[in-house]
Amino acid sequence: MSGETSHQEHIGPYRLLARPAGASGVHRATGPDGRDVAIRLLPPGAAPDIERMRAVASPYTADVLDGESGGRRPYVVSRFVPGRPLAEVVAEQGPMAGDALRRMAAGLAKALAAVHRAGLAHGELGPGTVLVVDGAPVVVDFGLAAGAHGPGDVHAWAATVAFAATGRHEAPPDALPADLRPLVEAAADPDPAARPDAERLAEEASRLVVRPARPVPAPAPAVEETAPPVAPVPAAEPAGRPEGPAVAQAWARLLAAMVVVIGVGVAVMMPIMGLLLTLVAVTALRAATSDTVAGWASAFGRTALTVPYAAVLAAAVPLGLAAASVIGGEIDSLGACALGAGAGAAVLWTAPGVSAPRRQLERMFMAVAGSPRRIAVAGVALGVLALVAVVGAMSLMPSFAPMYGLQSTLERSMDRLQNAMDRG
């Protein structure tokens, strides 16, 4: 469902954007600040410790932002995580191996350690409460199960990692990679007291080197002399890898901001074409999650509602510059109008109450932000374009093509307005 909807039901100060799928009980909503959030409704009378949940800080857990304990309609609000459940990822892509499996095991252990440090337990860790974002796990719904305890979470870690490695819910130990097997067996020890605690589990998991399975080579022809075998050296983790989805989200926001700067710069250099291109772009972004005629019609309607908002600011900027010229100096008439067009484009992209196009850009860039190489390529390309757009907007004469008649009319009108103000 698109980020904007006519559905106006609220839970506390949060406006619902999507009803939960099936019986999951999780709503997607938007907060008073326009941020996307996920809201889990709890059974009446449930009393989660919201303050402790908010204290859990890890790139591998969903940030808890707010909530309501007890009463008729308790709920927990966390940041919206654009990921898919581990169960779906494994079903679609198959079991994990090598470095992907190591990242999953270490990330889950670090998440549990953060939850336990806050004095909470998860109680329901499993393939359904782990979301995968760019190959990294993000644990959700922690601290909700009553009577949960730490050793139980450690056992659940073993079962979840075994599922990620095999695709089976009850995999025998010999089905696991040899590098991973000892830690999983220790975490699944029948005696809860013998299991490592979450802190030790995170330390051990961080030191894992899970080598991918290699096919057995065909026997080589016999030779009189052979070189001594050389032990394989585990591949080092690439330097500069973003440490979890929080970093990827920050990069996605930066790349989206560059696109907005480019759009505004183009609108200043070519006001008519720039505004038209901006209208098309923001409408397409709003309709990106829908492939129906109704979805496009709804996106067009929402864009149309922002046009008066943009038009007011587009007119206010040159008028304000003309008024300021009374104090001293002259303004360039066409330049003032071009700045007004840029202000209008900025409103269409992102302004108070207008954030859906920017949020959709961020979601699109999340696919890029998980890889340092792709971040570098996209960052350099968009950075150069943004620099060109800013320099061009500051130095070039704006072109109102193809409406040159409008250009002359605006120039004469601004000159008359400035002269009238000077005489006044």
Side-chain angles (χ1 to χ4, degrees):
M1 179 177 289
S2 170
E4 294 178 308
T5 178
S6 59
H7 182 58
Q8 295 295 319
E9 184 180 351
H10 285 69
I11 295 177
Y14 301 93
R15 181 169 64 88
L16 300 186
L17 300 177
R19 292 186 178 277
S24 68
V26 178
H27 295 258
R28 186 172 172 184
T30 184
D33 58 356
R35 176 166 49 176
D36 278 2
V37 298
I39 300 181
R40 174 170 284 281
L41 293 179
L42 304 176
D49 192 332
I50 302 298
E51 290 306 312
R52 288 193 177 187
M53 295 170 75
R54 293 181 64 178
V56 175
S58 170
Y60 301 102
T61 59
D63 298 333
V64 172
L65 308 174
D66 193 7
E68 185 71 36
S69 292
R72 185 180 61 85
R73 202 182 196 190
Y75 60 89
V76 174
V77 181
S78 60
R79 68 180 174 89
F80 175 74
V81 179
R84 298 172 59 199
L86 175 63
E88 291 184 9
V89 173
V90 172
E92 180 180 301
Q93 302 177 8
M96 295 181 173
D99 189 57
L101 182 57
R102 182 202 66 79
R103 291 181 68 196
M104 177 61 60
L108 290 177
K110 291 177 181 179
L112 285 184
V115 171
H116 291 187
R117 279 196 299 270
L120 299 171
H122 192 294
E124 295 183 352
L125 182 69
T129 56
V130 176
L131 302 181
V132 181
V133 182
D134 298 324
V138 179
V139 174
V140 299
D141 295 343
F142 52 85
L144 300 180
H149 60 287
D153 281 348
V154 172
H155 189 281
W157 174 89
T160 305
V161 171
F163 172 82
T166 64
R168 297 153 63 183
H169 285 284
E170 294 185 5
D174 58 2
L176 299 174
D179 302 303
L180 183 63
R181 191 180 306 153
L183 187 57
V184 170
E185 289 180 333
D189 194 294
D191 180 7
R195 299 169 193 163
D197 62 20
E199 293 286 354
R200 180 184 159 199
L201 185 68
E203 293 175 5
E204 296 290 335
S206 297
R207 292 196 289 265
L208 282 172
V209 177
V210 183
R211 286 163 288 201
R214 298 183 180 181
V216 178
V223 294
E224 293 184 5
E225 294 183 7
T226 59
V230 179
V233 179
E237 188 174 48
R241 172 176 298 181
E243 184 64 28
V247 176
Q249 190 171 43
W251 276 110
R253 287 174 179 169
L254 178 59
L255 296 176
M258 290 182 183
V259 172
V260 174
V261 169
I262 294 168
V264 172
V266 170
V268 173
M269 291 186 287
M270 299 183 294
I272 303 301
M273 295 302 299
L275 286 173
L276 288 175
L277 289 173
T278 298
L279 287 169
V280 171
V282 298
T283 302
L285 286 169
R286 284 189 168 97
T289 56
S290 175
D291 56 359
T292 65
V293 174
W296 275 91
S298 176
F300 180 81
R302 291 195 297 272
T303 298
L305 290 176
T306 65
V307 170
Y309 186 1
V312 169
L313 193 58
V317 168
L319 291 177
L321 292 174
S325 69
V326 176
I327 301 175
E330 294 186 359
I331 63 168
D332 176 71
S333 301
L334 290 181
C337 293
L339 289 175
V347 169
L348 293 172
W349 276 110
T350 179
V354 185
S355 58
R358 173 183 53 78
R359 292 202 306 268
Q360 182 60 30
L361 275 176
E362 292 175 7
R363 285 190 284 269
M364 293 169 62
F365 280 125
M366 281 297 293
V368 173
S371 164
R373 182 176 300 175
R374 286 180 290 180
I375 288 174
V377 172
V380 169
L382 291 177
V384 170
L385 291 175
L387 179 61
V388 170
V390 171
V391 172
M394 294 175 62
S395 60
L396 299 179
M397 178 69 69
S399 171
F400 285 75
M403 301 179 68
Y404 293 106
L406 176 62
Q407 175 175 330
S408 300
T409 300
L410 288 173
E411 188 171 17
R412 290 194 301 268
S413 298
M414 288 296 296
D415 289 342
R416 285 197 296 267
L417 176 61
Q418 187 175 11
N419 291 333
M421 290 183 172
D422 289 341
R423 288 195 299 270

